[in-house]
Amino acid sequence: MRFLALLLVLLVQTALAHDPSPAEAAETARHAFVDQCHAQQALMPPLLTAIRNQDLSAAKTAYVAARPPYEQIETLALIFPELDAAIDARPYAYHTGEDDPLWAGFHLLERAIYRDQRLQNVYQNALALNDSVNTLCLFLENAVDVYSPSAIMAGSIALAFEVPAKKVASEEEAWSELSLMIFRNNWRGIWSQVEPFLHTPKVRNETRLRVTRVYQQLQRVYNMIDPENDFFTNKGGARVYSTIPVSERKDIIEYGYKFATALEQVRDDLGAELGEEEEGEEDEQVSRNEKQYMRDAVVVGLSSFVGFCEEQQRTLDMLCSILGERNLTSARFAYAKARPEYERIEVMAADFPDLDANIDARPYAYSRGELDNEWKGFHEVERALYRDDDIDRAIRSADVLKGDVDALCETLRAGINGEGTFSAKRTFEGMITLAYEVPAKKISSEEETWSDLSVMIFRENLKGIWTLLVPFLDRLPAHNMKRLKMAYRMARDTLELVVDRYNDWDTGLNFMPYSKVPVWERKRISDAFYEMAHALVEARETMFG
Ligand SMILES: *[C@@H]1O[C@H](CO)[C@@H](O)[C@H](O)[C@H]1NC(C)=O
Ligand SMILES: *[C@@H]1O[C@H](CO)[C@@H](O)[C@H](O)[C@H]1NC(C)=O
Ligand SMILES: *[C@@H]1O[C@H](CO)[C@@H](O)[C@H](O)[C@H]1NC(C)=O
């Protein structure tokens, strides 16, 4: 089998010497990943054995070694989404995060090995991962039909944008700190898929030269940041990601984007169409017969939010006037001061998704990341002030932001008068979603990457949830009320007394930089928000059945 496969590769490669067709290039690309998958299979037994023997140090070694091949194969995850989820999903992909019984794969093992340092209960998960890898190899070996040139280009471009737009900012391997290893393997995987196409007749010489040059520059930038681990090493391991300053991450981001846009050029030369995904909109039925007290509770919450929103308008005005002084230090201070209110209001974001995106989206929410014309809001100001030191850009962005915040305040006021989709049920959905989102996503992903202000986000998210919850508390049975109060207390204590103890809870702006919060404290925040989420789910069941 193996021999025949090799022979086929050789034959295809020989054929490639003479102007390969896109179909031949796709076959070469597929074989590159079949090989990677076999490499992945070979790396699994040491990991399984170490976990079975509960040998933590062997498990770490085997885990690091076992990560690279899949991070290459992942380039084409869109043609095997279920297997990708079984192998590589992180908790935020699931509604209930780490709690979700469907969550599986490498990151579950990563959590056990690096964060919890307990291997007692994960051997079954490791076996399941082994099975998923085996299934993936079978799939790739037979995937001739689905492995089309357009799927290859679409997957390559999507991942090439995802690295600078999302992964660089979000501690991809949050628990093991191996994010750099992920990036280099993502890029190598992309290259193995795209390179065969560079020699097809439709790709212009100019395009081929450009993408090849950018890929080489990317390797150089990588090797400068991570000199101990060459870009092309097949070993696992990488410089500890949290020690890499924002200024160095900036280069990786810049060349990551250059690589992605060069790939778009290849796609355009090939003329392959990118299949756009249509997102189905969730259209929740809002009951018109909600009890009056539910309606009243919603109005109480909304009124508080209108107050927050007006405060947000004031702090933004202040930011804009301070930006006019062109002093970066005071501008950053004004930025931090202008951030908290929206992070409370965000609880209800599902009731104003477009404004939420305008105000608070991060680049990864857009297909072209930071290069996307649609991206704007707080994080654009954050980038200008903390990463790029670009006051002019900050002034322009803050000005646009003010308009969106004005619209938000109007929307909230209209909600008090019964307009929009605000309801008790949706309020609970919003609280639950955010309570899960903090531990499932925000904790591991440096929510405010450039300013390092994630701790502020957690504090304000919690305040927002509590503001909305209080009006409902009296109506809940004692056990629900008690559990919710305790959950809130625990989350608040974790932040107020442990993580951010040098900062005043109500108004302090002297936040603990998130990059200095150790993994075990992050775990406590995570546990506390999960408990809050569970308590909210229980309360929702009591109220709405
Ligand atoms: C893991 O998969 C390999 C095939 O790649 C198989 O030979 C092996 O038996 C599996 N390991 C376990 C413990 O099931
Ligand atoms: C493209 O490059 C090849 C050599 O790689 C050369 O033979 C060919 O003339 C070039 N085509 C153009 C249009 O420059
Ligand atoms: C900028 O503001 C800070 C404090 O807000 C102040 O200490 C510093 O002197 C100012 N710099 C300039 C150049 O005015």
Side-chain angles (χ1 to χ4, degrees), residues 7-49:
L7 193 66
L8 194 62
V9 174
L10 282 176
L11 283 174
V12 171
Q13 279 172 349
T14 317
L16 277 182
H18 323 276
D19 275 1
S21 70
E24 285 166 333
E27 265 306 275
T28 308
R30 186 173 68 83
H31 282 286
F33 278 178
V34 169
D35 289 349
Q36 284 298 325
C37 200
H38 291 155
Q40 184 69 67
Q41 281 177 317
L43 293 165
M44 298 307 288
L47 183 60
L48 296 183
T49 309

Side-chain angles (χ1 to χ4, degrees), residues 325-331 333:
E325 296 168 14
R326 315 191 65 80
N327 176 331
L328 206 53
T329 314
S330 41
F333 192 74

